[in-house]
Amino acid sequence: MPHPALAAGAHPFPHVGLIGIAGMAPWEIEFLLDEAEAWVGRTATGHPLAGLTQINAFFENSTRTLLSFEIAGKRLGADVVNLGIATSSLKKGETLLDTALTLNAMRPDCLVIRHGASGAVGLIAAKVDCPVLNAGDGRHEHPTQALLDALTIRRRKGRIEGLRVAICGDILHSRVARSNFLALTALGAEVRAVAPPTLLPAAIEAFGVSAFTDMDKGLAGADVVMMLRLQTERMDGAYVPSAREYFRFYGLTEARLAHAAADVLVMHPGPMNRGVEIDGAIADDLVRSAVTEQVEMGVAVRMACLDVLTRKRRNVPGWPA
Ligand code: ASP
């Protein structure tokens, strides 16, 4: 069934690639969530991406994102090739743009890129001829993570609008936080940023979120609590006195979670550091924790994004030019 926006003659997703949630209209985000919903628990029938080449170029470590993009592409029938950091010529001094031109010369049908520098993926996207999907660039954006988080919330809570979502931890270095602020506020949630003062970016309110440095106050009445890891690889110097001290004031414990709504949903993008930002028992509580469900939704969301962004080059009937 065509999406209602298609029936009305409007383009449901006019973007060439997926660099960030920034610039996406709420109905475009919802369109991708609806498309992803259709892939949940389902492998592709008919392999719509058969004959297409998907290159995953990850210049920074990844477990969940790389694997799920690979599984998503394979389930759709694409030929998936992975370029690992350890084996790439960046190590030999090649510039990012030369790497981009090299990848482009292989004539891929889509590129999935993760890079440690904010803005690097957008830069590459401007130099290549195929759709580029941002799998995380520095502290800038991680759009498919925000989409899978939104899908997880929507499925568990039945809605996003009006929910109180507390995003807690190392906001300063987190691309997950940025993409989630953009997506969840666009979808009508009331979003809070909860962090020690050293890990709260200046002008955080510009994202349309409210800031809290007291964890108990930030969690008060929250419907969803999303915990973030201390991104030590992006820190130059010490932002917290010690991991033990951090857990004492900002770790998610039973006592702290008691301030949230009785039916609170606990989320974490992974990798988790048990005993640092989250008590392991809470993460393992299948009633409240959606951590493994988030991973499952990641495959569905990435299938949807790969499918939607290659429709134009596949000349899918009914898909506007
Ligand atoms: N996996 C997420 C990311 O790539 C979160 C994290 O690394 O803490 O940003």
Side-chain angles (χ1 to χ4, degrees), residues 114 142 175-176 229 231 269-271:
R114 165 168 288 193
H142 193 350
R175 53 196 177 207
V176 174
R229 176 179 68 92
Q231 317 252 311

Side-chain angles (χ1 to χ4, degrees), residues 69-238:
F69 262 117
E70 183 170 359
I71 290 169
K74 285 184 169 158
R75 285 196 180 156
L76 293 168
D79 297 319
V80 185
V81 190
N82 292 328
L83 169 73
I85 18 168
T87 46
S88 81
S89 279
L90 277 187
K91 296 256 178 217
K92 297 183 187 169
E94 186 173 69
T95 66
L96 182 63
L97 288 183
D98 282 334
T99 305
L101 295 177
T102 304
L103 293 174
N104 194 47
M106 312 271 178
R107 300 270 164 246
D109 295 289
C110 62
L111 276 171
V112 180
I113 303 176
R114 165 168 288 193
H115 200 281
S118 307
V121 179
L123 210 65
I124 295 175
K127 298 282 172 198
V128 300
D129 306 315
C130 68
V132 171
L133 292 91
N134 182 3
D137 62 328
R139 18 169 133 172
H140 175 225
E141 281 227 40
H142 193 350
T144 54
Q145 177 72 45
L147 292 169
L148 73 88
D149 289 336
L151 184 63
T152 305
I153 297 172
R154 201 174 77 166
R155 286 171 61 90
R156 277 281 193 120
K157 295 282 180 193
R159 70 193 162 102
I160 290 176
E161 194 168 0
L163 290 182
R164 190 174 285 170
V165 183
I167 304 183
C168 315
D170 183 359
I171 309 274
L172 183 66
H173 301 100
S174 175
R175 53 196 177 207
V176 174
R178 281 177 75 100
S179 290
N180 264 300
F181 290 159
L182 294 164
L184 294 174
T185 54
L187 298 174
E190 179 206 318
V191 183
R192 297 172 170 184
V194 188
T198 49
L199 293 173
L200 259 183
I204 181 89
E205 284 85 3
F207 280 97
V209 305
S210 40
F212 291 81
T213 51
D214 181 305
M215 185 81 168
D216 292 347
K217 288 189 183 140
L219 292 191
D223 300 295
V224 178
V225 174
M226 193 182 291
M227 299 307 299
L228 300 171
R229 176 179 68 92
L230 288 172
Q231 317 252 311
T232 44
E233 74 276 26
R234 292 187 223 293
M235 293 182 186
D236 45 2

